[in-house]
Amino acid sequence: MELRHLRYFVAVAEAGHFGRAAAVLHVSTPTLSEQIRALEAEVGAPLLVRHPRGATTTAAGAALLVEARTVLLAADTALREARRAAGIDDGALRLGLLTGAPPWLPRQLAQILARAAPGHVPAFVGGSSTYQLGLLERGELDVAVSRDTPDPGYETLALVEEELGVVLPEAHPLAQRPALDAADLSGIELVWYPRHRAPRLFDEVITTIERLGGRPEISASAMAVEAIRTALPLLGGAITLGSRRMEGDGLVWRPLRGAPLSIPIWAVWRARPRDPALRAYVRALRKAVARGDLAPPPAA
């Protein structure tokens, strides 16, 4: 088993899609698939389930994902510290790769870094909001990309916002309505992500729905976005919350009337960074957001 195999596997597991992971890794999709198959042969069990919209981890894959992140982080830290002790600038900034973020966002963040700090490359670290903020706290990440904001001592910048609506199967009775009221969700099973991954956003959204008169039943099932897409049609009358990107393959998206909900994605870094490359990157990020440069590419 090689570190490259683990990096490829983590990239696919985090992106939930072979093509998107290949773009981030700058390899071809067939090459990526071949490396994943080699890793599965080494493990002796399937790690990913391929389906039309991407890929999800098996039980073995989910177990490997936890340990693979630890191994890769340790390897990256060891290399970085060795180079630092030798007085060598490794030319990399460690940037968060948020699970479930728009697939175009990492590419644009990398492009901004290339312009702001020539010679520096992004070292993407995948994971949930809570995981990334923990790495940032320990000094193991330069910029987190998170749906949660941290405690004081950090600077934040809202990169993008996506409107949060209700996602439900096409056959669901509420799917016939063009928009929904919060009260329409009362008594309905709500399947969403595990709260510990972004607790502040989770609580804020649920509190807002309740303030608007909705009382959904929070499901005992909590899972990542790609898993929800697969599971939702199997859970009877259950619904979820998400962006318009979740619509398709038998699922529809409906806006909530009243105060619109949004899903912000933040860049987070330690206040007053000393690294010149990081300072240049932060300035470039602020300018890009102010100009409205962070946006999905136009449809072909």
Side-chain angles (χ1 to χ4, degrees):
M1 185 182 299
E2 300 180 14
L3 288 177
R4 181 181 71 255
H5 292 147
L6 293 181
R7 291 190 192 281
Y8 286 4
F9 165 68
V10 169
V12 177
E14 295 290 356
H17 193 278
F18 274 82
R20 290 196 291 268
V24 171
L25 294 166
H26 303 291
V27 299
S28 69
T29 301
T31 295
L32 180 57
S33 296
E34 181 182 350
Q35 296 299 313
I36 295 297
R37 285 195 294 270
L39 180 59
E40 289 176 325
E42 178 82 13
V43 172
L47 300 172
L48 295 161
V49 177
R50 284 79 165 172
H51 52 78
R53 290 201 58 86
T56 54
T57 56
T58 62
L64 180 61
L65 181 60
V66 174
E67 300 302 330
R69 286 172 175 160
T70 302
V71 170
L72 293 174
L73 180 59
D76 290 343
T77 301
L79 180 59
R80 189 180 185 92
E81 291 304 315
R83 286 175 170 171
R84 182 175 296 166
I88 301 171
D89 183 356
D90 65 5
L93 282 183
R94 299 162 298 176
L95 308 182
L97 183 63
L98 178 64
T99 303
W104 51 264
L105 184 59
R107 183 186 299 272
Q108 293 192 10
L109 294 178
Q111 291 170 347
I112 292 171
L113 175 59
R115 294 191 297 267
H120 284 71
V121 296
F124 283 112
V125 180
S128 67
S129 298
T130 301
Y131 178 72
Q132 288 190 49
L133 294 177
L135 295 181
L136 192 65
E137 172 68 24
R138 297 192 297 273
E140 298 169 357
L141 194 64
D142 294 310
V143 179
V145 179
S146 169
R147 291 191 179 89
D148 263 14
T149 53
D151 295 327
Y154 298 87
E155 296 180 23
T156 61
L157 176 67
L159 298 175
V160 295
E161 287 196 11
E162 296 182 292
E163 184 179 358
L164 188 70
V166 181
V167 181
L168 58 167
E170 291 177 340
H172 197 286
L174 295 178
Q176 306 307 313
R177 306 183 188 183
L180 300 175
D181 294 310
D184 295 331
L185 311 185
S186 295
I188 295 179
E189 181 182 8
L190 172 61
V191 181
W192 211 17
Y193 67 86
R195 179 184 176 276
H196 67 82
R197 291 191 173 183
R200 295 186 184 184
L201 174 65
F202 189 103
D203 293 344
E204 178 183 345
V205 168
I206 298 303
T207 298
T208 300
I209 290 175
E210 291 177 347
R211 178 172 54 79
L212 294 173
R215 296 292 186 274
E217 299 290 337
I218 307 300
S219 177
S221 300
M223 58 195 79
V225 172
E226 288 301 326
I228 291 177
R229 293 188 59 89
T230 302
L232 199 61
L234 308 177
L235 297 176
I239 62 173
T240 190
L241 301 172
S243 70
R244 292 178 184 268
R245 291 187 290 116
M246 290 188 69
E247 192 167 43
D249 289 345
L251 299 179
V252 297
W253 183 91
R254 297 292 181 261
L256 273 174
R257 296 189 183 95
L261 300 172
S262 63
I263 313 172
I265 296 180
W266 301 88
V268 185
W269 61 93
R270 285 184 175 273
R272 299 178 295 280
R274 290 177 293 178
D275 186 336
L278 180 54
R279 291 201 301 269
Y281 184 52
V282 166
R283 288 194 298 269
L285 279 180
R286 292 190 186 279
K287 291 179 181 178
V289 171
R291 293 193 301 262
D293 291 347
L294 286 177

